[in-house]
Amino acid sequence: TTAIDVESGIVGKRVETVQLWKIRDLTYRQSATDRILNLARIHVVTQDPSSPNLDLWGMPASRDIFERLKQAVDTARRKGGVMGVTE
């Protein structure tokens, strides 16, 4: 409810965390191949210098996850008193 954790790696593991209030923009993407496979990607743009762009791929092709993420970002901003995100 406050962050996105992305774990990557097969042998070595890496976990990247992005606080929701740092998210600047979200984009729901679905290529022709993604549509056939019933998958989607969510592109996340943040103000975090260590991970300014984050792609969540292989997500179920449901806009519900995208909508819930947008709501969670708004909630995190309100709780933290963030009025807007600037560079």
Side-chain angles (χ1 to χ4, degrees):
T1 59
T2 61
I4 297 174
D5 290 337
V6 178
E7 185 175 319
S8 59
I10 296 173
V11 177
K13 293 287 182 186
R14 176 181 169 184
V15 177
E16 211 171 328
T17 300
V18 175
Q19 298 298 319
L20 292 180
W21 66 269
K22 289 185 175 184
I23 293 176
R24 297 174 62 132
D25 192 30
L26 296 168
T27 306
Y28 181 87
R29 296 180 180 182
Q30 198 176 29
S31 68
T33 304
D34 290 339
R35 290 179 64 95
I36 292 168
L37 297 174
N38 200 29
L39 298 174
R41 300 167 194 241
I42 298 175
H43 180 72
V44 181
V45 178
T46 75
Q47 69 172 9
D48 189 339
S50 65
S51 50
N53 293 294
L54 181 64
D55 281 311
L56 306 173
W57 53 274
M59 306 295 288
S62 165
R63 291 229 7 212
D64 182 54
I65 293 171
F66 178 68
E67 295 299 327
R68 290 189 339 204
L69 184 56
K70 285 194 317 186
Q71 246 180 354
V73 168
D74 287 340
T75 300
R77 284 183 183 162
R78 278 194 304 269
K79 277 186 175 179
V82 177
M83 299 300 287
V85 180
T86 62
E87 289 186 23

